[in-house]
Amino acid sequence: QVRVVESGGGLVQAGGSLRLVCAASGIFFHVPDMAWYRQAPGKQREVVAHIDSDGRTNYANSVKGRFTISRDNAEDTAYLQMNTLKPEDTAVYYCLVNYFQRDYWGQGTQVTVSS
């Protein structure tokens, strides 16, 4: 059974930084794609950043140059370093693990950026 757990959210002032952690368990023999999504109140969930098994990355235009996704394959863990945070980055951030073509979501972690 694949389990995904996010951590690292919190309250930060605009211009500050946070580092989110996504820890996956139940992963064997295959390195999954991993991604970060976010959902703000009243809005649809949107992709923030994606990293494939080879470490290639993609970012939403709104976070390019500010956020960095990385991973540790040995630990089945992904990270999202968020710098120069803005109030519009406020959302619940979710980690997605795509493992053998099935999607597994974590419970989310709240990020709140005050102005």
Side-chain angles (χ1 to χ4, degrees):
Q1 178 73 16
V2 175
R3 186 166 179 251
V4 180
V5 179
E6 304 99 334
S7 61
L11 173 64
V12 65
Q13 288 189 330
S17 298
L18 282 174
R19 187 189 193 215
L20 304 184
V21 181
C22 170
S25 59
I27 305 292
F28 301 100
F29 310 119
H30 174 69
V31 178
D33 287 9
M34 303 178 80
W36 287 96
Y37 283 70
R38 67 185 180 188
Q39 187 166 19
K43 294 188 176 181
Q44 288 190 329
R45 192 172 297 190
E46 61 177 1
V47 63
V48 174
H50 174 273
I51 186 166
D52 70 11
S53 57
D54 294 321
R56 290 171 295 205
T57 60
N58 282 293
Y59 297 91
N61 287 334
S62 58
V63 306
K64 280 182 182 177
R66 299 188 298 123
F67 291 11
T68 302
I69 188 171
S70 60
R71 65 186 299 160
D72 180 343
N73 288 345
E75 298 293 331
D76 294 318
T77 300
Y79 305 93
L80 186 68
Q81 178 65 44
M82 306 186 294
N83 298 328
T84 320
L85 282 160
K86 304 175 181 179
E88 51 264 44
D89 294 318
T90 295
V92 178
Y93 283 71
Y94 297 90
C95 180
L96 169 69
V97 175
N98 181 269
Y99 184 58
F100 285 112
Q101 300 181 333
R102 290 189 63 181
D103 289 341
Y104 297 88
W105 293 92
Q107 81 291 345
T109 185
Q110 176 71 47
V111 171
T112 303
V113 185
S114 63
S115 56

Short mmCIF file of all heavy atoms in Angstrom, two decimals, residues 26-71:
data_model
loop_
_atom_site.label_atom_id
_atom_site.label_comp_id
_atom_site.label_asym_id
_atom_site.label_seq_id
_atom_site.Cartn_x
_atom_site.Cartn_y
_atom_site.Cartn_z
N GLY A 26 5.90 2.37 0.77
CA GLY A 26 5.26 1.33 -0.01
C GLY A 26 5.72 1.32 -1.46
O GLY A 26 5.06 0.73 -2.31
N ILE A 27 6.85 1.98 -1.73
CA ILE A 27 7.40 2.06 -3.09
C ILE A 27 8.50 1.01 -3.24
O ILE A 27 9.44 1.00 -2.45
CB ILE A 27 7.99 3.45 -3.37
CG1 ILE A 27 6.95 4.55 -3.13
CG2 ILE A 27 8.57 3.51 -4.78
CD1 ILE A 27 5.81 4.54 -4.12
N PHE A 28 8.37 0.16 -4.27
CA PHE A 28 9.38 -0.89 -4.49
C PHE A 28 9.68 -1.01 -5.97
O PHE A 28 8.79 -0.95 -6.81
CB PHE A 28 8.87 -2.23 -3.94
CG PHE A 28 8.53 -2.21 -2.49
CD1 PHE A 28 7.22 -2.09 -2.07
CD2 PHE A 28 9.52 -2.28 -1.53
CE1 PHE A 28 6.89 -2.06 -0.73
CE2 PHE A 28 9.21 -2.26 -0.18
CZ PHE A 28 7.90 -2.14 0.21
N PHE A 29 10.94 -1.18 -6.31
CA PHE A 29 11.40 -1.58 -7.64
C PHE A 29 11.16 -0.55 -8.74
O PHE A 29 11.50 -0.81 -9.88
CB PHE A 29 10.73 -2.91 -8.08
CG PHE A 29 10.83 -3.99 -7.05
CD1 PHE A 29 9.69 -4.54 -6.49
CD2 PHE A 29 12.06 -4.45 -6.62
CE1 PHE A 29 9.77 -5.53 -5.54
CE2 PHE A 29 12.16 -5.44 -5.66
CZ PHE A 29 11.00 -5.98 -5.12
N HIS A 30 10.56 0.56 -8.45
CA HIS A 30 10.22 1.51 -9.51
C HIS A 30 10.25 2.91 -8.92
O HIS A 30 9.71 3.14 -7.85
CB HIS A 30 8.83 1.20 -10.05
CG HIS A 30 8.33 2.20 -11.05
ND1 HIS A 30 8.88 2.33 -12.31
CD2 HIS A 30 7.34 3.12 -10.98
CE1 HIS A 30 8.24 3.29 -12.96
NE2 HIS A 30 7.30 3.78 -12.19
N VAL A 31 10.91 3.83 -9.62
CA VAL A 31 10.99 5.21 -9.15
C VAL A 31 9.82 5.99 -9.73
O VAL A 31 9.72 6.15 -10.95
CB VAL A 31 12.33 5.85 -9.57
CG1 VAL A 31 12.38 7.30 -9.11
CG2 VAL A 31 13.49 5.06 -8.99
N PRO A 32 8.92 6.46 -8.91
CA PRO A 32 7.72 7.11 -9.43
C PRO A 32 7.95 8.57 -9.81
O PRO A 32 8.88 9.21 -9.29
CB PRO A 32 6.75 7.03 -8.25
CG PRO A 32 7.65 7.10 -7.05
CD PRO A 32 8.92 6.38 -7.45
N ASP A 33 7.13 9.09 -10.69
CA ASP A 33 7.04 10.53 -10.87
C ASP A 33 6.39 11.12 -9.63
O ASP A 33 5.51 10.51 -9.02
CB ASP A 33 6.21 10.88 -12.10
CG ASP A 33 6.93 10.59 -13.41
OD1 ASP A 33 8.01 9.98 -13.37
OD2 ASP A 33 6.41 10.99 -14.46
N MET A 34 6.80 12.34 -9.30
CA MET A 34 6.23 13.02 -8.14
C MET A 34 5.94 14.46 -8.51
O MET A 34 6.60 15.04 -9.38
CB MET A 34 7.19 12.95 -6.94
CG MET A 34 7.56 11.52 -6.57
SD MET A 34 8.73 11.38 -5.21
CE MET A 34 7.63 11.62 -3.80
N ALA A 35 4.93 15.02 -7.87
CA ALA A 35 4.54 16.38 -8.20
C ALA A 35 3.93 17.05 -6.98
O ALA A 35 3.44 16.39 -6.07
CB ALA A 35 3.55 16.39 -9.35
N TRP A 36 3.98 18.37 -7.01
CA TRP A 36 3.30 19.19 -6.01
C TRP A 36 2.15 19.94 -6.68
O TRP A 36 2.33 20.52 -7.75
CB TRP A 36 4.25 20.19 -5.38
CG TRP A 36 5.23 19.58 -4.43
CD1 TRP A 36 6.51 19.19 -4.69
CD2 TRP A 36 4.99 19.28 -3.05
NE1 TRP A 36 7.08 18.66 -3.56
CE2 TRP A 36 6.18 18.71 -2.54
CE3 TRP A 36 3.90 19.43 -2.20
CZ2 TRP A 36 6.30 18.29 -1.22
CZ3 TRP A 36 4.02 19.02 -0.88
CH2 TRP A 36 5.20 18.47 -0.40
N TYR A 37 1.01 19.89 -6.03
CA TYR A 37 -0.17 20.65 -6.44
C TYR A 37 -0.55 21.58 -5.29
O TYR A 37 -0.11 21.40 -4.15
CB TYR A 37 -1.34 19.71 -6.73
CG TYR A 37 -1.27 18.99 -8.05
CD1 TYR A 37 -0.33 17.99 -8.28
CD2 TYR A 37 -2.16 19.30 -9.08
CE1 TYR A 37 -0.27 17.32 -9.49
CE2 TYR A 37 -2.11 18.63 -10.30
CZ TYR A 37 -1.17 17.64 -10.49
OH TYR A 37 -1.12 16.99 -11.70
N ARG A 38 -1.40 22.53 -5.60
CA ARG A 38 -1.94 23.38 -4.54
C ARG A 38 -3.38 23.74 -4.86
O ARG A 38 -3.80 23.77 -6.02
CB ARG A 38 -1.11 24.65 -4.34
CG ARG A 38 -1.13 25.62 -5.50
CD ARG A 38 -0.17 26.78 -5.22
NE ARG A 38 -0.16 27.75 -6.32
CZ ARG A 38 0.70 28.76 -6.40
NH1 ARG A 38 1.62 28.95 -5.46
NH2 ARG A 38 0.63 29.60 -7.41
N GLN A 39 -4.12 24.01 -3.80
CA GLN A 39 -5.51 24.42 -3.96
C GLN A 39 -5.82 25.53 -2.97
O GLN A 39 -5.74 25.34 -1.76
CB GLN A 39 -6.45 23.24 -3.73
CG GLN A 39 -7.91 23.55 -4.04
CD GLN A 39 -8.76 22.31 -4.14
OE1 GLN A 39 -8.41 21.24 -3.64
NE2 GLN A 39 -9.90 22.43 -4.80
N ALA A 40 -6.14 26.69 -3.54
CA ALA A 40 -6.53 27.83 -2.73
C ALA A 40 -8.04 27.81 -2.52
O ALA A 40 -8.77 27.20 -3.32
CB ALA A 40 -6.11 29.13 -3.41
N PRO A 41 -8.53 28.47 -1.48
CA PRO A 41 -9.98 28.48 -1.23
C PRO A 41 -10.76 28.98 -2.43
O PRO A 41 -10.43 30.04 -3.01
CB PRO A 41 -10.12 29.43 -0.04
CG PRO A 41 -8.81 29.35 0.65
CD PRO A 41 -7.79 29.17 -0.43
N GLY A 42 -11.76 28.23 -2.85
CA GLY A 42 -12.61 28.64 -3.96
C GLY A 42 -12.00 28.44 -5.33
O GLY A 42 -12.60 28.84 -6.33
N LYS A 43 -10.83 27.81 -5.37
CA LYS A 43 -10.16 27.61 -6.67
C LYS A 43 -9.91 26.12 -6.91
O LYS A 43 -9.94 25.31 -5.98
CB LYS A 43 -8.84 28.38 -6.71
CG LYS A 43 -9.00 29.88 -6.66
CD LYS A 43 -7.67 30.58 -6.92
CE LYS A 43 -7.85 32.09 -6.96
NZ LYS A 43 -6.55 32.78 -7.24
N GLN A 44 -9.66 25.81 -8.17
CA GLN A 44 -9.35 24.43 -8.52
C GLN A 44 -7.92 24.08 -8.13
O GLN A 44 -7.05 24.97 -8.06
CB GLN A 44 -9.54 24.22 -10.03
CG GLN A 44 -10.99 24.21 -10.48
CD GLN A 44 -11.14 23.77 -11.93
OE1 GLN A 44 -10.27 24.01 -12.76
NE2 GLN A 44 -12.25 23.15 -12.25
N ARG A 45 -7.70 22.81 -7.91
CA ARG A 45 -6.35 22.34 -7.64
C ARG A 45 -5.49 22.52 -8.90
O ARG A 45 -5.94 22.21 -10.01
CB ARG A 45 -6.37 20.87 -7.21
CG ARG A 45 -5.07 20.37 -6.63
CD ARG A 45 -5.22 18.98 -6.05
NE ARG A 45 -6.16 18.95 -4.93
CZ ARG A 45 -6.31 17.89 -4.14
NH1 ARG A 45 -5.60 16.78 -4.34
NH2 ARG A 45 -7.19 17.93 -3.14
N GLU A 46 -4.28 23.02 -8.71
CA GLU A 46 -3.41 23.26 -9.85
C GLU A 46 -2.02 22.68 -9.59
O GLU A 46 -1.56 22.63 -8.44
CB GLU A 46 -3.28 24.77 -10.12
CG GLU A 46 -2.67 25.56 -8.97
CD GLU A 46 -2.48 27.04 -9.30
OE1 GLU A 46 -2.84 27.47 -10.40
OE2 GLU A 46 -1.95 27.76 -8.42
N VAL A 47 -1.37 22.27 -10.67
CA VAL A 47 -0.03 21.73 -10.53
C VAL A 47 0.95 22.88 -10.31
O VAL A 47 0.85 23.94 -10.93
CB VAL A 47 0.36 20.88 -11.76
CG1 VAL A 47 0.38 21.72 -13.02
CG2 VAL A 47 1.67 20.17 -11.53
N VAL A 48 1.88 22.66 -9.41
CA VAL A 48 2.91 23.65 -9.09
C VAL A 48 4.25 23.25 -9.71
O VAL A 48 4.91 24.05 -10.36
CB VAL A 48 3.06 23.80 -7.57
CG1 VAL A 48 4.23 24.72 -7.23
CG2 VAL A 48 1.77 24.30 -6.95
N ALA A 49 4.63 21.99 -9.50
CA ALA A 49 5.92 21.51 -10.00
C ALA A 49 5.86 20.00 -10.13
O ALA A 49 5.13 19.33 -9.39
CB ALA A 49 7.04 21.92 -9.06
N HIS A 50 6.66 19.49 -11.06
CA HIS A 50 6.68 18.06 -11.34
C HIS A 50 8.13 17.63 -11.53
O HIS A 50 8.94 18.37 -12.11
CB HIS A 50 5.86 17.78 -12.60
CG HIS A 50 5.92 16.35 -13.08
ND1 HIS A 50 6.91 15.90 -13.93
CD2 HIS A 50 5.12 15.29 -12.80
CE1 HIS A 50 6.70 14.62 -14.17
NE2 HIS A 50 5.63 14.23 -13.51
N ILE A 51 8.43 16.42 -11.06
CA ILE A 51 9.76 15.86 -11.27
C ILE A 51 9.61 14.40 -11.64
O ILE A 51 8.89 13.65 -10.98
CB ILE A 51 10.66 16.05 -10.02
CG1 ILE A 51 12.09 15.61 -10.30
CG2 ILE A 51 10.08 15.37 -8.79
CD1 ILE A 51 13.09 16.09 -9.24
N ASP A 52 10.29 13.99 -12.73
CA ASP A 52 10.14 12.60 -13.14
C ASP A 52 11.25 11.75 -12.52
O ASP A 52 12.08 12.22 -11.74
CB ASP A 52 10.09 12.48 -14.66
CG ASP A 52 11.41 12.79 -15.35
OD1 ASP A 52 12.44 12.90 -14.67
OD2 ASP A 52 11.39 12.92 -16.60
N SER A 53 11.24 10.49 -12.88
CA SER A 53 12.17 9.55 -12.26
C SER A 53 13.62 9.85 -12.60
O SER A 53 14.53 9.43 -11.87
CB SER A 53 11.82 8.11 -12.69
OG SER A 53 11.85 8.00 -14.10
N ASP A 54 13.85 10.58 -13.69
CA ASP A 54 15.21 10.96 -14.08
C ASP A 54 15.61 12.33 -13.55
O ASP A 54 16.71 12.81 -13.87
CB ASP A 54 15.34 10.95 -15.60
CG ASP A 54 15.20 9.56 -16.18
OD1 ASP A 54 15.71 8.61 -15.55
OD2 ASP A 54 14.56 9.41 -17.24
N GLY A 55 14.73 12.95 -12.80
CA GLY A 55 15.04 14.24 -12.22
C GLY A 55 14.71 15.44 -13.09
O GLY A 55 15.04 16.57 -12.73
N ARG A 56 14.06 15.20 -14.21
CA ARG A 56 13.65 16.34 -15.05
C ARG A 56 12.46 17.03 -14.40
O ARG A 56 11.55 16.38 -13.90
CB ARG A 56 13.31 15.86 -16.45
CG ARG A 56 14.53 15.40 -17.23
CD ARG A 56 14.16 14.72 -18.53
NE ARG A 56 13.42 13.47 -18.29
CZ ARG A 56 13.39 12.46 -19.12
NH1 ARG A 56 14.04 12.54 -20.27
NH2 ARG A 56 12.69 11.38 -18.86
N THR A 57 12.47 18.35 -14.48
CA THR A 57 11.48 19.15 -13.75
C THR A 57 10.67 20.05 -14.66
O THR A 57 11.14 20.45 -15.74
CB THR A 57 12.16 20.01 -12.68
OG1 THR A 57 13.10 20.89 -13.32
CG2 THR A 57 12.90 19.16 -11.67
N ASN A 58 9.47 20.36 -14.22
CA ASN A 58 8.61 21.35 -14.88
C ASN A 58 7.92 22.16 -13.79
O ASN A 58 7.62 21.64 -12.71
CB ASN A 58 7.55 20.67 -15.75
CG ASN A 58 8.14 20.20 -17.07
OD1 ASN A 58 8.52 20.99 -17.91
ND2 ASN A 58 8.21 18.90 -17.24
N TYR A 59 7.66 23.43 -14.11
CA TYR A 59 7.07 24.33 -13.13
C TYR A 59 5.91 25.11 -13.74
O TYR A 59 5.92 25.43 -14.94
CB TYR A 59 8.09 25.34 -12.62
CG TYR A 59 9.25 24.72 -11.88
CD1 TYR A 59 10.41 24.35 -12.55
CD2 TYR A 59 9.17 24.49 -10.50
CE1 TYR A 59 11.46 23.77 -11.86
CE2 TYR A 59 10.21 23.92 -9.81
CZ TYR A 59 11.36 23.56 -10.50
OH TYR A 59 12.40 22.98 -9.82
N ALA A 60 4.95 25.45 -12.90
CA ALA A 60 3.93 26.41 -13.31
C ALA A 60 4.60 27.76 -13.51
O ALA A 60 5.56 28.11 -12.80
CB ALA A 60 2.85 26.51 -12.24
N ASN A 61 4.09 28.53 -14.46
CA ASN A 61 4.70 29.84 -14.75
C ASN A 61 4.70 30.74 -13.51
O ASN A 61 5.62 31.53 -13.32
CB ASN A 61 3.93 30.52 -15.88
CG ASN A 61 4.21 29.89 -17.22
OD1 ASN A 61 5.27 29.29 -17.44
ND2 ASN A 61 3.27 30.02 -18.14
N SER A 62 3.70 30.59 -12.67
CA SER A 62 3.56 31.47 -11.52
C SER A 62 4.64 31.26 -10.46
O SER A 62 4.83 32.12 -9.60
CB SER A 62 2.18 31.28 -10.88
OG SER A 62 1.99 29.94 -10.49
N VAL A 63 5.34 30.13 -10.52
CA VAL A 63 6.34 29.85 -9.49
C VAL A 63 7.76 29.72 -10.06
O VAL A 63 8.71 29.55 -9.29
CB VAL A 63 5.98 28.58 -8.69
CG1 VAL A 63 4.58 28.68 -8.14
CG2 VAL A 63 6.16 27.32 -9.53
N LYS A 64 7.90 29.80 -11.36
CA LYS A 64 9.23 29.68 -11.97
C LYS A 64 10.19 30.72 -11.41
O LYS A 64 9.84 31.90 -11.30
CB LYS A 64 9.13 29.83 -13.49
CG LYS A 64 8.67 28.58 -14.21
CD LYS A 64 8.64 28.79 -15.71
CE LYS A 64 8.14 27.55 -16.42
NZ LYS A 64 8.03 27.75 -17.88
N GLY A 65 11.37 30.27 -11.07
CA GLY A 65 12.37 31.17 -10.52
C GLY A 65 12.27 31.36 -9.01
O GLY A 65 13.18 31.93 -8.40
N ARG A 66 11.16 30.90 -8.42
CA ARG A 66 10.98 31.05 -6.97
C ARG A 66 10.94 29.71 -6.26
O ARG A 66 11.40 29.58 -5.13
CB ARG A 66 9.68 31.81 -6.67
CG ARG A 66 9.64 33.21 -7.25
CD ARG A 66 8.40 33.97 -6.75
NE ARG A 66 7.15 33.35 -7.15
CZ ARG A 66 6.21 32.96 -6.28
NH1 ARG A 66 6.39 33.11 -4.98
NH2 ARG A 66 5.09 32.41 -6.73
N PHE A 67 10.36 28.71 -6.91
CA PHE A 67 10.22 27.39 -6.30
C PHE A 67 11.17 26.41 -6.98
O PHE A 67 11.42 26.51 -8.19
CB PHE A 67 8.79 26.86 -6.47
CG PHE A 67 7.74 27.58 -5.67
CD1 PHE A 67 8.01 28.77 -5.01
CD2 PHE A 67 6.46 27.05 -5.57
CE1 PHE A 67 7.04 29.43 -4.28
CE2 PHE A 67 5.47 27.69 -4.84
CZ PHE A 67 5.77 28.88 -4.20
N THR A 68 11.64 25.43 -6.21
CA THR A 68 12.50 24.39 -6.75
C THR A 68 12.04 23.03 -6.21
O THR A 68 11.95 22.85 -4.99
CB THR A 68 13.96 24.61 -6.36
OG1 THR A 68 14.40 25.89 -6.83
CG2 THR A 68 14.85 23.52 -6.96
N ILE A 69 11.77 22.12 -7.13
CA ILE A 69 11.41 20.76 -6.74
C ILE A 69 12.64 19.88 -6.87
O ILE A 69 13.44 20.03 -7.81
CB ILE A 69 10.23 20.22 -7.59
CG1 ILE A 69 9.75 18.88 -7.05
CG2 ILE A 69 10.63 20.12 -9.06
CD1 ILE A 69 8.45 18.38 -7.70
N SER A 70 12.81 18.99 -5.92
CA SER A 70 13.93 18.04 -5.96
C SER A 70 13.46 16.74 -5.33
O SER A 70 12.35 16.65 -4.79
CB SER A 70 15.14 18.62 -5.22
OG SER A 70 14.83 18.87 -3.87
N ARG A 71 14.34 15.74 -5.40
CA ARG A 71 13.93 14.45 -4.85
C ARG A 71 15.15 13.67 -4.37
O ARG A 71 16.28 13.90 -4.81
CB ARG A 71 13.17 13.64 -5.90
CG ARG A 71 13.99 13.23 -7.11
CD ARG A 71 13.11 12.56 -8.17
NE ARG A 71 12.49 11.36 -7.64
CZ ARG A 71 11.40 10.80 -8.17
NH1 ARG A 71 10.82 11.34 -9.22
NH2 ARG A 71 10.91 9.70 -7.64
#
